[in-house]
Amino acid sequence: TMRPTPYQAYLRIQIGCDKFCTYCVVPATRGPEQSRPPAHIVQEARVLADQGVREITLLGQNVNAFHGPEENGNSVSLAGLTARLAEIPGLLRLRYMTSHPNDMLDDLIDAHVSQPALMPFLHLPVQSGSDHILQAMNRKHTAQQYLDLIERIRSVRPDIALSSDFIVGFPGETEEDFQATLDLIKKVNFASSYFFKYSIRPGTPGAEMDNQVPEEIKSERLQRLQELADGQRYAYNADSVGKVMPVLFEKKGRYPGQIAGKTPYLQPVQVDGPDSMIGCVADVLITETRTNSLMGSLVGEKA
Ligand code: SF4
């Protein structure tokens, strides 16, 4: 368990992966998917909540494939687990990462509607917008299947914020493939995106591919992606201005008299407020967007 603040914890619930993406060392180094027993996780979460933790992020290499073994031989899905965790007094917010699109099943999508503790934020990496590259990566879905999935998620939870990882310059990536990635990013409109230049991981199939992309092309594409994503993130944050959102205050703010926290959509917010509200959730009117955070003012009573 990691504790970035006294009110937040990261709890590992799953390790390993059965997906075998061709750039990734996880299946070789961590082995097959294994999920921890739900009873153990719930017990740990209770202890954390008693210690004052208000938000838990459930971690796993492929966390939405979670299938926790029960003593009676049944297995519990991630949605089943979050439903149990949401019953723990004091635990107000649940998040999870990282997820694979193919394991984003209906019960988990629906949990984003039926379980208020499950935050409307989803880190769902797609890596590329090109079918030819997705296939070379062994991601096991097409760009259109990803877009259809996003549409289905948004049809039940229109306000959900989405983020993704992208690998730039996977072996064989042409300018046309890269354009397909830009197109996908434009279509989805991510709240945030993370880019990584492809780098050879010894022992993975990608390392053996002979059509490696030159470093300067990777750098140039990375910059173009970054500009597009920065614009989307800025527009996403600008769109929040004028809205009232519940913010979990985590720590003192940048300046004296300020406190800092996050919206349900994982946006950092700074407000003028008393330290006594740190560890509480309160409604905030978002008044302004800055480069890396939002500014707001308190409008509600603490939860
Ligand atoms: Fe690695 Fe994630 Fe692919 Fe699994 S789904 S092989 S952890 S990149």
Side-chain angles (χ1 to χ4, degrees):
T1 313
M2 287 180 290
R3 298 275 293 272
T5 72
Y7 314 103
Q8 297 167 292
Y10 290 94
L11 190 54
R12 183 164 288 286
I13 64 167
Q14 185 271 347
I15 60 164
C17 185
D18 298 338
K19 290 288 187 290
F20 293 95
C21 302
T22 53
Y23 53 84
C24 180
V25 296
V26 167
T29 57
R30 297 303 189 98
E33 278 169 9
Q34 294 177 58
S35 302
R36 296 181 55 213
H40 295 188
I41 298 166
V42 170
Q43 181 53 32
E44 282 181 20
R46 268 186 211 290
V47 171
L48 289 168
D50 284 347
Q51 292 170 354
V53 167
R54 298 286 164 261
E55 176 181 277
I56 292 183
T57 303
L58 304 169
L59 296 180
Q61 264 119 13
N62 189 14
V63 76
N64 61 343
F66 180 85
H67 50 275
E70 296 226 90
E71 274 179 14
N72 62 13
N74 291 346
S75 88
V76 175
S77 68
L78 183 58
L81 177 68
T82 54
R84 289 187 199 180
L85 294 174
E87 287 172 13
I88 297 174
L91 207 51
L92 305 175
R93 293 184 165 193
L94 295 169
R95 304 180 183 278
Y96 58 92
M97 67 175 193
T98 288
S99 297
H100 189 285
N102 291 6
D103 292 312
M104 206 65 218
L105 303 183
D106 284 342
D107 72 329
L108 185 55
I109 295 174
D110 292 341
H112 279 278
V113 184
S114 60
Q115 298 180 22
L118 205 49
M119 289 292 101
F121 181 96
L122 182 56
H123 182 59
L124 193 62
V126 60
Q127 310 294 1
S128 170
S130 154
D131 287 342
H132 148 242
I133 295 298
L134 287 169
Q135 195 173 8
M137 288 176 167
N138 193 31
R139 290 290 291 175
K140 302 185 172 85
H141 63 78
T142 63
Q144 190 56 50
Q145 281 167 337
Y146 182 82
L147 292 171
D148 290 347
L149 175 62
I150 297 301
E151 197 179 296
R152 197 148 55 83
I153 295 167
R154 281 186 167 149
S155 74
V156 300
R157 190 72 213 235
D159 67 321
I160 202 157
L162 295 156
S163 75
S164 175
D165 297 331
F166 292 89
I167 293 174
V168 186
F170 188 80
E173 186 188 75
T174 63
E175 175 62 25
E176 199 184 348
D177 294 319
F178 177 69
Q179 283 294 339
T181 298
L182 295 176
D183 286 348
L184 180 138
I185 294 175
K186 285 178 195 157
K187 279 184 190 154
V188 175
N189 205 2
F190 291 98
S192 54
S193 302
Y194 304 91
F195 306 109
F196 306 91
K197 276 197 249 180
Y198 175 75
S199 65
I200 289 176
R201 300 266 183 267
T204 60
E208 308 299 319
M209 295 178 184
D210 54 12
N211 43 5
Q212 303 288 333
V213 174
E215 203 52 37
E216 59 275 17
I217 294 186
K218 287 186 204 169
S219 299
E220 180 258 349
R221 288 180 185 164
L222 183 74
Q223 201 182 335
R224 284 154 75 195
L225 279 178
Q226 198 68 59
E227 277 166 24
L228 176 60
D230 285 350
Q232 288 195 340
R233 185 165 51 88
Y234 192 80
Y236 184 82
N237 286 339
D239 207 40
S240 305
V241 174
K243 291 183 181 160
V244 173
M245 301 187 191
V247 170
L248 171 59
F249 291 103
E250 301 161 357
K251 56 187 180 188
K252 288 174 189 282
R254 215 169 293 149
Y255 300 105
Q258 282 189 334
I259 51 177
K262 299 226 176 60
T263 70
Y265 311 101
L266 219 50
Q267 299 152 292
V269 185
Q270 308 258 343
V271 307
D272 288 333
D275 289 358
S276 60
M277 291 191 69
I278 296 173
C280 299
V281 173
D283 279 344
V284 168
L285 171 67
I286 307 300
T287 52
E288 203 183 317
T289 171
R290 300 264 170 94
T291 316
N292 290 313
S293 62
L294 300 172
M295 306 299 291
S297 54
L298 288 165
V299 294
E301 295 299 307
K302 65 181 180 179

